[in-house]
Amino acid sequence: MVSREFRLQMEGYGLTTAEIHYHLPDHPSLLQLYVWQEYDLAPEFPTLKGFLDYWERELEGALHSVRVAHHRLIRPSEWQAVDGIFTIQ
């Protein structure tokens, strides 16, 4: 059985982390930090955009800023053709 996360990585998804700063509903002058992490496709980030759309539609804390980091954990290996012959005795 293959995990959901492994299947997503094989389809090109990478681990995305977002630092979401938002205003507290009861104290708008104060900022709170929420860290969100999920597998997503860069550079469009459809999963993150969907989450932020949900946030703005359903939650009271107004968004202040979002900082995103993304890294593909599984990717094609790099190779380089070598011109030459190596003899092993």
Side-chain angles (χ1 to χ4, degrees):
M1 185 99 211
V2 177
S3 70
R4 171 189 167 268
E5 290 81 10
F6 183 74
R7 278 187 278 117
L8 287 172
Q9 290 178 59
M10 294 305 293
E11 293 171 7
Y13 284 71
L15 187 61
T16 302
T17 305
E19 285 184 357
I20 302 169
H21 290 89
Y22 64 97
H23 296 276
L24 290 175
D26 296 337
H27 304 281
S29 62
L30 297 177
L31 289 177
Q32 181 72 26
L33 172 66
Y34 180 80
V35 177
W36 176 90
Q37 199 169 53
E38 183 60 71
Y39 289 92
D40 208 351
L41 287 169
E44 294 84 18
F45 300 109
T47 307
L48 176 59
K49 286 180 181 177
F51 176 75
L52 294 175
D53 288 343
Y54 166 80
W55 184 299
E56 289 183 324
R57 188 178 60 251
E58 301 292 332
L59 302 179
E60 292 182 25
L63 294 174
H64 176 269
S65 61
V66 178
R67 187 165 68 165
V68 178
H70 178 81
H71 184 68
R72 285 190 60 190
L73 302 174
I74 297 177
R75 58 181 165 225
S77 62
E78 296 179 9
W79 65 277
Q80 182 177 5
V82 177
D83 187 18
I85 298 174
F86 298 97
T87 306
I88 300 175
Q89 296 183 10

